[in-house]
C-alpha cells in the first residue's frame, strides 16, 4: 500500500498541474511547441524552491541541530540537501552537509546480494561504526576529517576536509539510509528532523496511463552513471532490479518516519532527459539481455517533445544528473 504521505504529496502536485493546465504528456508537448517551455521551467523550479524554503522554516522553528535527508536512488538527495542548506542560511543558520555516499566500505568489502553481485543498497554497504564514531565526535564538539569516496576506483580516501560544529551550525546528513533508525541509534528521535525526497512523477502519458516514478529515476541514474561514474546504460539497466529490490527492503519501509516529504520530480524534466538518454539507450546492443528494457524506455521517452537544457537553471536539481551545476558534488 502506498504511503499516505506520498499520496498527499502527489495529490498536491497534481493540483498544481491542473492549475497550469498540464496533466498529460500531450498537454506538455503542446505547450512546448507553442513556445511556453521557459514558463513551464520557471514555474516548476519556483514550486520546488518554495517547498524547500517551507521545510527550512520548519527546521529553524524547531531549533534542530541534526537534519537527516533520505530517498531512493537518483531522487536528487544531494542537490536537495544543498538547496535546503541555502534556505537554512536564509533563516540565519549555518548549515553543514555530509553525504552518506562517502561512508561506503571499499568495493571489495561490499556485501553481495542473492545473485552474487555487490549490494550497494543494504545498510552493510556503509561503514556504520565509522560513521557513528565521526557523528558522535562532531556532536561532542570535536574536529573530524571527513572521508571522500571515489566511485570510479571503489575506494574511500581521506578528503583533507576537516569539520567542527559551532553552536549555530545545523548538520545535514543525506543518504538512502538516513531515515533508518539503525543508522543513528544513539540520537534521540526528538533531536532529529527527518526529510524524505523522491521523484514522484505526476504527469501522465494520457488520461488513463500513469508514468512509473521508477522509470523517471532510472533515466536520471543512467545519465549520471555514464557521465560521472563510468557505467554504461547497459550496466545501469542490468543493476536496476537489484537497486529496486534494495529500496523495497532498506528505504521504503522507513519513508513514513519522516517529518516531511519533498517531491523532486520536475514537470518538464523528461522532455530534457530525452536528448541525453536516447543515445545511451540506443547504445545497448540487440544481443544484450537488457535490450528489451532499453527498447521499452526508448519508446517511452520518445513520447516527449524535447526541451534544450540551456534553459535549465544552474541550481536546478536536474543539474545533479546533467552536469553544469552551480553546486560542487
Amino acid at each position: 500500500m502506498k504511503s499516505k504521505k506520498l499520496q498527499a504529496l502527489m495529490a498536491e502536485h497534481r493540483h498544481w498541474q491542473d492549475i497550469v493546465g498540464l496533466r498529460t504528456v500531450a498537454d506538455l508537448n503542446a505547450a512546448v511547441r507553442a513556445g511556453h517551455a521557459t514558463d513551464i521551467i520557471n514555474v516548476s523550479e519556483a514550486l520546488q524552491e518554495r517547498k524547500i524554503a517551507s521545510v527550512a522554516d520548519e527546521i529553524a522553528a524547531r531549533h534542530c541541530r541534526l537534519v537527516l535527508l533520505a530517498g531512493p536512488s537518483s531522487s536528487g538527495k544531494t542537490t536537495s540537501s544543498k538547496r535546503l542548506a541555502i534556505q537554512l542560511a536564509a533563516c540565519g543558520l549555518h548549515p553543514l552537509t555530509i553525504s552518506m555516499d562517502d561512508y561506503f566500505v571499499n568495493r571489495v568489502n561490499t556485501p553481495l546480494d542473492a545473485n552474487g553481485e555487490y549490494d550497494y543498497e543494504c545498510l552493510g554497504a556503509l561503514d556504520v561504526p565509522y560513521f557513528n564514531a565521526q557523528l558522535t565526535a562532531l556532536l561532542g564538539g570535536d574536529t573530524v576529517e571527513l572521508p571522500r569516496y571515489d566511485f570510479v576506483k571503489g575506494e574511500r580516501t581521506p578528503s583533507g576536509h576537516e569539520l567542527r560544529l559551532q553552536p549555530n551550525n545545523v548538520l545535514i546528513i543525506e543518504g538512502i539510509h538516513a531515515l533508518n533508525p539503525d543508522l543513528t541509534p544513539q540520537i534521540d528521535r526528538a533531536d532529529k528532523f527527518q526529510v524524505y525526497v523522491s521523484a514522484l512523477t505526476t504527469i501522465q502519458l494520457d488520461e488513463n496511463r500513469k508514468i512509473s516514478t521508477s522509470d523517471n529515476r532510472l533515466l536520471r541514474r543512467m545519465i549520471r552513471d555514464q557521465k560521472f561514474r563510468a557505467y554504461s546504460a547497459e550496466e545501469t539497466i542490468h543493476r536496476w532490479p537489484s537497486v529496486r529490490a534494495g529500496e523495497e527492503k532498506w528505504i521504503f519501509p522507513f519513508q513514513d518516519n519522516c517529518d516531511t516529504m519533498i517531491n523532486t520530480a520536475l514537470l518538464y524534466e523528461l522532455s530534457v532527459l530525452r536528448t541525453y538518454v536516447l543515445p545511451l539507450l540506443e547504445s545497448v546492443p540487440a544481443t544484450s539481455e537488457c535490450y528489451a528494457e532499453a527498447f521499452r524506455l526508448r519508446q517511452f521517452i520518445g513520447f516527449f517533445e524535447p526541451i534544450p537544457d540551456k534553459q535549465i537553471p544552474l541550481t536546478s536539481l536536474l543539474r545533479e544528473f546533467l552536469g553544469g551545476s552551480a553546486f560542487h558534488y
Side-chain angles (χ1 to χ4, degrees), residues 17 21 30 60 80 97 115 125 139 143 147 149 169 176 229 231 237 241 267 286 291 305 309 325-327:
Q17 285 177 218
S80 294
T97 59
N115 298 318
L139 294 176
T143 300
Y149 197 83
N169 286 144
I176 63 174
R229 298 188 177 182
Y231 294 147
I237 293 172
L267 179 59
Y291 180 77
E305 189 78 15
D309 70 346
S325 176
F327 298 117

Side-chain angles (χ1 to χ4, degrees), residues 200-217:
L200 306 172
T201 317
T202 50
I203 193 167
Q204 298 189 178
L205 280 176
D206 53 41
E207 291 297 336
N208 299 311
R209 291 184 294 171
K210 296 180 180 180
I211 292 174
S212 165
T213 60
S214 173
D215 282 350
N216 196 153
R217 293 189 293 108

Side-chain angles (χ1 to χ4, degrees), residues 281-301:
L281 292 168
E282 290 167 353
S283 72
V284 178
T287 55
S288 170
E289 63 179 12
C290 300
Y291 180 77
E293 178 68 351
F295 182 81
R296 182 188 71 81
L297 291 169
R298 280 164 50 192
Q299 296 291 102
F300 160 64
I301 201 66

Side-chain angles (χ1 to χ4, degrees), residues 81-82 85 95-99 146 161 163 170-174:
S81 68
K82 292 179 182 295
L96 301 168
T97 59
I98 292 178
S99 172
L146 299 177
H161 178 204
L163 188 65
V170 176
L171 185 61
I172 304 173
I173 297 174
E174 60 93 359

Side-chain angles (χ1 to χ4, degrees), residues 56 60 114 144 158 171 182 231 254 270 310 321:
V144 303
L171 185 61
D182 289 338
Y231 294 147
F254 306 108
L270 290 166
K310 64 182 180 181
F321 307 94

Side-chain angles (χ1 to χ4, degrees), residues 22-288:
L22 298 177
R23 190 167 184 83
T24 68
V25 176
D27 297 333
L28 175 61
N29 288 344
V32 172
R33 287 192 291 266
H36 300 309
T38 299
D39 291 337
I40 296 168
I41 290 170
N42 289 341
V43 171
S44 298
E45 294 288 345
L47 286 170
Q48 196 170 88
E49 193 63 34
R50 186 175 180 179
K51 176 66 176 182
I52 294 171
S54 71
V55 173
D57 289 342
E58 189 174 353
I59 293 169
R62 284 181 44 176
H63 304 288
C64 294
R65 289 196 76 198
L66 182 61
V67 177
L68 298 170
L69 187 148
S73 174
S74 300
S75 56
K77 295 180 291 296
T78 303
T79 302
S80 294
S81 68
K82 292 179 182 295
R83 288 171 63 176
L84 179 59
I86 291 173
Q87 292 294 340
L88 286 169
C91 293
L93 302 172
H94 292 270
L96 301 168
T97 59
I98 292 178
S99 172
M100 290 303 305
D101 283 358
D102 289 321
Y103 288 87
F104 276 119
V105 298
N106 291 341
R107 189 170 295 152
V108 294
N109 299 320
T110 302
L112 303 180
D113 62 18
N115 298 318
E117 299 187 6
Y118 291 127
D119 187 356
Y120 297 110
E121 277 61 52
C122 74
L123 187 61
L126 297 176
D127 192 339
V128 176
Y130 177 56
F131 166 74
N132 275 281
Q134 288 214 321
L135 180 59
T136 299
L138 280 169
L139 294 176
D142 295 336
T143 300
V144 303
E145 180 181 5
L146 299 177
R148 179 75 176 171
Y149 197 83
D150 186 325
F151 281 94
V152 176
K153 294 181 180 179
E155 296 178 355
R156 191 177 69 218
T157 60
S159 67
H161 178 204
E162 292 189 340
L163 188 65
R164 184 177 182 179
L165 297 185
Q166 303 299 324
N168 57 352
N169 286 144
V170 176
L171 185 61
I172 304 173
I173 297 174
E174 60 93 359
I176 63 174
H177 297 290
L179 302 190
N180 187 333
D182 289 338
L183 179 70
T184 55
Q186 80 281 19
I187 308 297
D188 190 271
R189 176 65 182 89
D191 296 328
K192 299 182 270 193
F193 189 94
Q194 302 190 143
V195 183
Y196 182 79
V197 303
S198 192
L200 306 172
T201 317
T202 50
I203 193 167
Q204 298 189 178
L205 280 176
D206 53 41
E207 291 297 336
N208 299 311
R209 291 184 294 171
K210 296 180 180 180
I211 292 174
S212 165
T213 60
S214 173
D215 282 350
N216 196 153
R217 293 189 293 108
L218 173 55
L219 296 178
R220 284 181 175 184
R221 178 167 172 145
M222 197 177 299
I223 296 167
R224 182 204 65 190
D225 281 357
Q226 188 274 332
K227 204 172 188 70
F228 302 111
R229 298 188 177 182
Y231 294 147
S232 68
E234 184 178 11
E235 290 172 306
T236 301
I237 293 172
H238 176 73
R239 274 207 51 78
W240 192 241
S242 176
V243 171
R244 296 283 291 123
E247 292 171 348
E248 293 288 345
K249 183 176 181 180
W250 295 104
I251 302 173
F252 299 150
F254 306 108
Q255 62 190 11
D256 276 343
N257 288 350
C258 70
D259 294 286
T260 192
M261 290 185 174
I262 298 173
N263 186 359
T264 68
L266 292 155
L267 179 59
Y268 68 87
E269 76 169 272
L270 290 166
S271 294
V272 175
L273 297 184
R274 170 186 165 142
T275 301
Y276 280 83
V277 82
L278 267 179
L280 303 182
L281 292 168
E282 290 167 353
S283 72
V284 178
T287 55
S288 170

